[in-house]
Amino acid sequence: MSQTWLVVPAAGQGRRMGADKPKQYLPLADQQPVLAHTLARLHRAFPNARLVLCLDVDDHWFSPRWVPFTDWQRVAGGSERMDSVLNALHAMAAQDGDVVLVHDVARPCITQGDLQALHHAAATHPAGALLAMPVADTMKRADKNCLSARTEPRDGLWHALTPQGFRYALLRRALETARQLQTLVTDEASAVEALGESPQLVSGRRDNLKITHPDDLALAAAIMASQAANTPDGL
Ligand SMILES: Nc1ccn([C@@H]2O[C@H](COP(=O)(O)OP(=O)(O)OP(=O)(O)O)[C@@H](O)[C@H]2O)c(=O)n1
Ligand SMILES: C[C@](O)(CO)[C@H](O)COP(=O)(O)O
């Protein structure tokens, strides 16, 4: 029986947020930090999973009281998100066939339904899977003066979200290859695609917000309040 692993990249500095601490430690609903909310949602879906938490080596905000998992470890983050994830993969005592879900700590609004749907797709599709949502807006290409140069075709365009899930051996090979080629990837699926594989797109909720800019905090809090009010069996 393969094990499920959760890798949570949480070593970012939150520069675009511009706060006095990394955004994963900013208070959200009931004043718990973003990190605590994200881990609670992951634990509700996968209470027996093994958690690998990527934290900056100089992180002095983290507290283990926010980790509900019994089986967890922390690893040092890297200079880029992909380095943090690869550090986690190198620290895991995983089997090649284990399922690894990678989820941004900055996405606390993730729901149980999306988590279970993604996990099933990652466990059944050989090239893995990622939550994503089809582009619904007209897409513009800006020039250097922030003028609209042209409209990009949006047919078949999706926003990549997280979690993204893969068998351990495939994900480790993909990220190690990206590093060897000095290719900077901003998500795991990019590295897997570069191997010639095609991960499954799993249509996810549009409220799976990545907290990035200052106004995202109030938006995330509003989403979580709405989810709590409209999901009788919990989130
Ligand atoms: N070296 C890094 C950079 C990012 N992340 C994590 O990757 C996720 C997505 O990254 P992003 O939203 O860009 O977070 P930051 O890098 O913190 O934001 P910014 O780019 O504004 O500094 C976040 O959960 C972040 O903590 C990480 O673990 N290690
Ligand atoms: C992984 C990700 O959330 C998918 O959209 C995104 O690529 C993270 O990018 P960031 O620049 O590290 O926030």
Side-chain angles (χ1 to χ4, degrees), residues 8 11 14-15 22-23 27 29 61 66 69 73 132 138-140 169 171-172 174 176 195-196 207 224:
V8 177
R15 293 182 184 88
K23 62 190 180 185
W61 291 279
W66 295 324
F69 291 84
Q73 64 191 106
T138 296
M139 306 303 286
K140 300 296 184 185
L171 180 57
R172 178 165 174 164
E176 286 178 345
L195 295 180
D207 60 5
M224 296 179 83

Side-chain angles (χ1 to χ4, degrees), residues 16 81 104 107 160-162 164 186-188 210 212:
R16 289 170 284 183
R81 181 182 178 281
D104 296 333
R107 293 185 187 269
L161 308 171
T162 71
Q164 306 193 3
T186 57
D187 76 335
E188 290 67 50
K210 180 165 69 73
T212 306

